[in-house]
C-alpha cells in the first residue's frame, strides 16, 4: 500500500515530510499521547521525528503497510499520524493505528482519518483490519465503533510498556464486507449521561468510585450475595472501576454508581448484565450502603434502570435473590417484578455448599 495523498471527511492523509518535525515532536511528547503509546522514544525530540520520517515511515511501506501524516486540508499542517502494519500477506490482514495531537482532539479528526484509511485499505485489497486499544483508552474504543469495527475480544498481555509491564489489549475488527458503521451498541450511553428521578441519580462507574464500592462489596450481607461469596480484593474493585467504561462499550455490562441526588454522594452500586442478547434478556443486580437503606432508593434505582433497559430494546429483565433476602424481594416487587420460582442450588455458597435462588422477572410489556 504505497502512501499517496487522499482526502475525505475533512482530513488529508499524505506522506510524512520533514516540515512535520516540529508538530510531530509536540504531538509525540504530549503526555496523553505517551500514555497510550508508551514505547515511543523518551524524550521524543527532533532526531526521533526525523528518523521516523526518513526511515521508519518508508520501512512501514516496504513491509507492505503504510504511514501517513494526518493533515489539515486548509493548511497542510500535521494534526497527527496514522498507518497500517501488514500482519499477514496471505490473509490480507492489517493492523491500523494512529495518534492525534492535543489541538486535534475532540474534533473528530481521528475518526475521520480512521474511516478514510479503512476505505483506502479495503479498496486496495485488504480483507481484515484490526484496531487494538488499551483497555482504558475509551476514546479510541468509541472511534473503533464509529468506524464500523466490532469488539472481538481481549488479547491478554499483548501490549508492552516501557517498564516491561504487559497489558491487555482489546481487539476491534472490521472485515471488507462489514457495514461501514457506526456499529450498533447493545448498551448505548445513558441519555444525558445519567438517569435520575430527582431523589436518586445513576451514572456510569468511574475510577474515583473505588473506595465507596470497595466498602460496599466488603459488607458481610453484600458478600453473601456475591458470586462466589467472598470479599473482593481492593485491586480487583479498582480494576473493575477502571474498566467499567470499556465493558459498557463492549456491551458486556452497564456498571452504575447510585448517588443521593441531593448530595451527589455515592450510596450504592447497580449493574445491568446483558446475559442473553439473542433473546433480549438482561440481569439486574444492586446493593446499597447501610446509611442509604430504608429510604426507598433501591426500588427507585430498579425502576430507573428497568425503564432505560426497555427503552434500548431489552425485552425481559430478571434478578435473583437468596430465599432469606426478604428486603431485596420487596424492592423487586415494588419495582414491578414478579416472583417466578426457586432455582435449587443455583449459586455457590460458603465451604462448597450450594445456595438456592429466588428468581424475579419483569417484561417490557408489564405494567409498572
Amino acid at each position: 500500500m504505497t502512501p499517496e495523498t487522499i482526502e475525505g471527511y475533512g482530513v488529508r492523509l499524505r506522506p510524512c515530510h520533514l516540515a512535520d518535525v516540529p508538530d510531530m515532536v509536540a504531538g509525540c511528547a504530549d503526555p496523553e499521547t505517551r500514555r497510550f503509546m508508551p514505547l515511543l522514544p523518551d524524550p521524543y525530540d527532533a532526531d526521533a521525528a526525523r528518523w521516523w520520517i526518513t526511515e521508519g515511515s518508508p520501512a512501514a511501506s516496504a513491509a507492505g503497510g503504510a504511514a501517513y501524516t494526518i493533515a489539515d486540508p486548509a493548511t497542510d499542517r500535521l494534526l497527527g499520524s496514522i498507518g497500517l502494519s501488514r500482519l499477514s500477506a496471505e490473509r490480507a490482514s492489517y493492523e491500523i493505528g494512529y495518534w492525534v495531537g492535543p489541538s486535534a482532539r475532540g474534533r473528530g479528526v481521528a475518526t475521520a482519518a480512521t474511516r478514510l484509511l479503512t476505505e483506502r485499505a479495503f479498496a486496495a485489497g485488504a480483507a481484515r483490519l484490526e484496531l487494538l486499544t488499551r483497555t482504558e483508552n475509551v476514546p479510541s474504543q468509541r472511534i473503533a465503533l464509529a468506524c464500523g469495527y466490532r469488539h472481538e475480544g481481549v488479547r491478554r498481555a499483548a501490549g508492552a510498556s516501557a517498564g516491561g509491564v504487559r497489558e491487555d489489549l482489546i481487539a476491534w475488527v472490521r472485515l471488507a464486507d462489514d457495514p461501514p458503521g457506526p456499529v450498533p451498541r447493545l448498551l448505548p450511553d445513558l441519555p444525558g449521561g445519567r438517569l435520575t428521578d430527582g431523589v436518586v441519580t445513576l451514572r456510569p462507574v468511574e475510577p474515583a468510585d473505588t473506595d465507596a464500592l470497595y466498602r460496599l462489596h466488603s459488607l458481610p450481607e453484600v458478600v453473601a450475595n456475591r458470586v462466589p461469596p467472598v470479599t473482593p480484593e481492593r485491586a480487583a474493585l479498582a480494576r473493575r472501576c477502571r474498566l467499567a467504561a470499556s465493558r459498557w462499550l463492549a456491551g458486556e455490562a452497564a456498571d452504575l454508581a447510585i448517588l443521593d441526588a441531593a448530595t451527589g454522594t455515592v450510596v450504592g452500586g447497580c449493574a445491568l448484565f446483558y446475559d442473553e442478547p439473542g433473546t433480549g434478556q438482561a440481569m439486574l443486580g444492586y446493593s446499597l450502603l447501610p446509611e442509604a437503606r430504608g429510604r426507598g432508593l433501591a426500588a427507585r434505582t430498579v425502576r430507573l434502570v428497568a425503564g432505560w433497559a426497555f427503552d434500548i430494546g431489552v425485552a425481559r429483565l430478571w434478578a435473583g435473590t437468596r430465599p432469606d433476602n426478604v428486603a431485596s424481594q420487596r424492592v423487586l416487587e415494588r419495582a414491578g417484578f414478579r416472583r417466578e420460582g426457586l432455582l435449587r442450588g443455583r449459586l455457590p455458597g460458603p465451604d462448597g455448599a450450594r445456595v438456592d435462588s429466588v428468581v424475579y422477572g419483569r417484561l417490557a410489556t408489564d405494567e409498572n
Side-chain angles (χ1 to χ4, degrees):
M1 296 194 181
T2 304
E4 58 187 47
T5 298
I6 51 177
E7 290 193 24
Y9 306 113
V11 297
R12 173 181 296 157
L13 305 187
R14 60 162 173 78
C16 307
H17 300 155
L18 286 173
D20 296 329
V21 167
D23 290 327
M24 188 174 290
V25 170
C28 290
D30 177 71
E32 191 68 9
T33 303
R34 302 196 63 83
R35 178 185 170 198
F36 296 118
M37 300 180 68
L39 297 183
L40 285 171
D42 187 18
Y44 197 96
D45 55 18
D47 287 340
R50 281 191 288 267
W51 177 89
W52 172 252
I53 293 167
T54 61
E55 298 185 43
S57 174
S61 299
Y68 293 89
T69 285
I70 307 171
D72 184 329
T75 64
D76 201 43
R77 186 166 180 176
L78 179 145
L79 301 174
S81 180
I82 191 167
L84 293 167
S85 300
R86 186 164 66 180
L87 301 176
S88 170
E90 294 78 9
R91 299 183 181 92
S93 178
Y94 295 80
E95 180 183 342
I96 189 168
Y98 55 83
W99 63 265
V100 296
S103 66
R105 294 174 192 150
R107 296 164 42 190
V109 169
T111 301
T114 301
R115 183 175 292 126
L116 186 59
L117 186 53
T118 296
E119 293 176 359
R120 170 72 178 84
F122 287 139
R128 172 186 167 91
L129 297 179
E130 297 186 4
L131 197 164
L132 302 180
T133 69
R134 280 176 160 72
T135 54
E136 296 174 48
N137 191 349
V138 173
S140 271
Q141 293 166 35
R142 289 185 178 276
I143 289 166
L145 288 165
C147 294
Y149 288 73
R150 298 174 182 270
H151 182 270
E152 194 168 85
V154 175
R155 300 276 181 83
R156 294 186 302 149
S161 68
V165 178
R166 306 296 301 185
E167 297 181 81
D168 292 346
L169 297 178
I170 302 176
W172 304 86
V173 173
R174 184 170 158 187
L175 306 181
D177 56 356
D178 280 344
V183 174
R185 288 172 52 189
L186 284 175
L187 296 171
D189 295 331
L190 299 179
R194 57 187 54 211
L195 303 172
T196 187
D197 63 0
V199 176
V200 67
T201 295
L202 309 178
R203 61 155 173 78
V205 163
E206 302 169 351
D209 298 325
T210 297
D211 288 340
L213 293 185
Y214 180 64
R215 178 186 164 212
L216 174 68
H217 287 277
S218 298
L219 295 169
E221 65 273 24
V222 176
V223 170
N225 290 283
R226 287 177 57 86
V227 180
V230 297
T231 303
E233 295 182 357
R234 190 184 185 284
L237 256 297
R239 176 178 170 80
R240 171 178 167 178
C241 292
R242 288 198 312 272
L243 302 187
S246 178
R247 295 183 66 210
W248 194 309
L249 288 173
E252 297 172 3
D255 214 347
L256 297 157
I258 305 172
L259 280 63
D260 183 318
T263 65
T265 304
V266 175
V267 295
C270 178
L272 180 77
F273 300 93
Y274 219 141
D275 60 334
E276 286 189 13
T279 65
Q281 175 178 278
M283 181 183 74
L284 181 66
Y286 53 88
S287 50
L288 291 175
L289 288 165
E291 62 267 27
R293 298 170 189 165
R295 297 161 49 191
L297 301 186
R300 289 176 177 273
T301 294
V302 174
R303 289 192 198 101
L304 283 171
V305 176
W308 172 71
F310 294 142
D311 284 345
I312 65 172
V314 174
R316 167 183 159 80
L317 283 174
W318 73 276
T321 77
R322 293 165 61 98
D324 59 355
N325 193 349
V326 176
S328 189
Q329 294 167 26
R330 288 174 177 167
V331 165
L332 291 168
E333 290 166 356
R334 287 199 296 269
F337 283 68
R338 302 180 188 179
R339 180 173 174 143
E340 295 183 338
L342 178 75
L343 297 181
R344 296 181 302 140
R346 177 178 176 268
L347 302 175
D351 302 322
R354 302 294 299 182
V355 178
D356 296 344
S357 179
V358 180
V359 177
Y360 282 77
R362 181 177 166 187
L363 305 181
T365 53
D366 288 344
E367 292 186 7
N368 191 348

